[in-house]
Amino acid sequence: MNLEQQQQDDQQDTNPWGTKSWTYISSLKQQSPLIQCITNLVSMDLIANTLLSAGASPAMIHSILEIPDFTPHTQSLLINVGTLTPEWLPAMKAAAGVANRLCKPWVLDPAAVGASRFRLKACIELVELKPTVIRGNASEIIALSLGSLGSMKGADSLHESSDAVEAAKSLAKSSGAIVAVSGSVDFVTDGQRVVGAHNGLPMMQKITASGCAVTALIAAFVAIDPAHAFEATACALSVFGLAGEIGMCLANGPASLRMHLIDSLYGLDQETVVQRVKITSFS
């Protein structure tokens, strides 16, 4: 083994989460899994570009007429209720049902779940269909855990992510899903273990649908390794935050950060990921 390889191995040993994250990134680029996205109208463009830049293949298929033919061929499913309508909900349920029947992972983003009774009821019904992962901001996770309308400002959170850790653990236990809470620290729990992903920066919250995009990246990482959804979720959150950090070095504001975030996600290299991914245990 040469010195360069030895140094690389030593570096990897000091940050196992960084090593895991790079494994997901490299596998994603090699396998290019097909990710079906039933998502809100605002987020489609950013989600598609996020998945493409990371190495996945996105498909914005939401018609219930296409679910029986298309969903069985996907490697993972994303359901995001941001612009939920009564017409879209049956397709979401049907796709989740197909994913479950075929043992494919699926990820739920309960956007603004506490904003209306219709939205809350729909999300509760979707949770009953056993998502692999649920990702939301603190206010969303609290509202979904309690099953009640919450204090929200549209899709924005009025709570810190740390405020929702206990709610996330409760939701994980009751649903069987891995639950992620986005915020200044992104928390991930399976009901027992809790880790925090510390990458990212506040400016990312000024990009419309950035939360939706990271949920899509979670769906892609989970497609690579469904048996380890906890680890995949934490790594996806950290990698997305890291891409934002790198992109901010070239950005002047939210619009240019959006562009540079996508470019940075595309251009991530092993050394940077292993060195800069920061995930810690809170268990």
Side-chain angles (χ1 to χ4, degrees):
M1 180 182 294
N2 60 38
L3 180 60
E4 182 179 352
Q5 182 64 50
Q6 181 65 59
Q7 289 174 335
Q8 186 179 70
D9 289 346
D10 290 343
Q11 185 182 67
Q12 289 175 346
D13 289 341
T14 64
N15 188 5
W17 281 105
T19 304
K20 285 187 179 76
S21 296
W22 178 250
T23 298
Y24 283 114
I25 293 169
S26 57
S27 297
L28 193 58
K29 293 182 183 298
Q30 292 168 5
Q31 298 179 27
S32 189
L34 178 61
I35 314 299
Q36 181 180 356
C37 305
I38 306 180
T39 188
N40 69 76
L41 300 172
V42 177
S43 70
M44 286 187 182
D45 175 77
L46 183 56
I47 282 179
N49 281 295
T50 295
L51 289 175
L52 283 169
S53 64
S57 178
M60 276 45 187
I61 300 291
H62 61 262
S63 171
I64 194 169
L65 298 178
E66 295 189 276
I67 301 301
D69 295 326
F70 188 84
T71 304
H73 299 287
T74 65
Q75 280 70 59
S76 184
L77 167 69
L78 164 67
I79 294 178
N80 179 306
V81 302
T83 51
L84 183 66
T85 69
E87 292 74 27
W88 279 36
L89 183 56
M92 294 175 174
K93 292 180 178 179
V98 171
N100 287 339
R101 177 169 56 83
L102 298 177
C103 299
K104 296 177 182 289
W106 73 277
V107 179
L108 174 64
D109 190 324
V113 58
S116 72
R117 290 180 177 84
F118 166 64
R119 188 174 293 269
L120 177 62
K121 181 175 182 292
C123 287
I124 290 173
E125 291 172 353
L126 287 167
V127 170
E128 291 172 352
L129 295 175
K130 299 296 181 183
T132 309
V133 180
I134 302 169
R135 199 286 321 166
N137 64 37
S139 293
E140 290 163 348
I141 296 302
I142 291 171
L144 189 56
S145 176
L146 295 175
S148 62
L149 299 182
S151 299
M152 305 194 70
K153 186 179 180 182
D156 296 334
S157 181
L158 296 180
H159 300 85
E160 296 295 328
S161 56
S162 57
D163 297 336
V165 171
E166 291 305 315
K169 291 172 69 175
S170 176
L171 180 58
K173 290 175 182 177
S174 64
S175 67
I178 302 302
V179 177
V181 188
S182 293
S184 55
V185 176
D186 299 322
F187 291 98
V188 181
T189 182
D190 59 4
Q192 298 294 332
R193 296 176 292 172
V194 179
V195 297
H198 300 265
N199 296 99
L201 66 160
M203 183 70 75
M204 295 174 73
Q205 298 176 17
K206 300 297 184 183
I207 302 173
T208 299
S210 59
C212 306
V214 76
T215 309
L217 190 63
I218 290 170
F221 275 37
V222 172
I224 296 299
D225 190 9
H228 297 93
F230 179 84
E231 291 81 0
T233 299
C235 289
L237 287 162
S238 192
V239 164
F240 190 78
L242 174 58
E245 292 173 3
I246 296 169
M248 194 64 221
C249 295
L250 301 170
N252 296 312
S256 53
L257 175 57
R258 183 186 192 275
M259 176 183 70
H260 289 301
L261 187 156
I262 294 169
D263 284 350
S264 298
L265 184 59
Y266 175 80
L268 286 172
D269 61 78
Q270 183 175 6
E271 181 179 3
T272 300
V273 171
V274 171
Q275 284 184 347
R276 294 184 57 178
V277 158
K278 186 177 181 183
I279 299 172
T280 59
S281 175
F282 286 84
S283 300

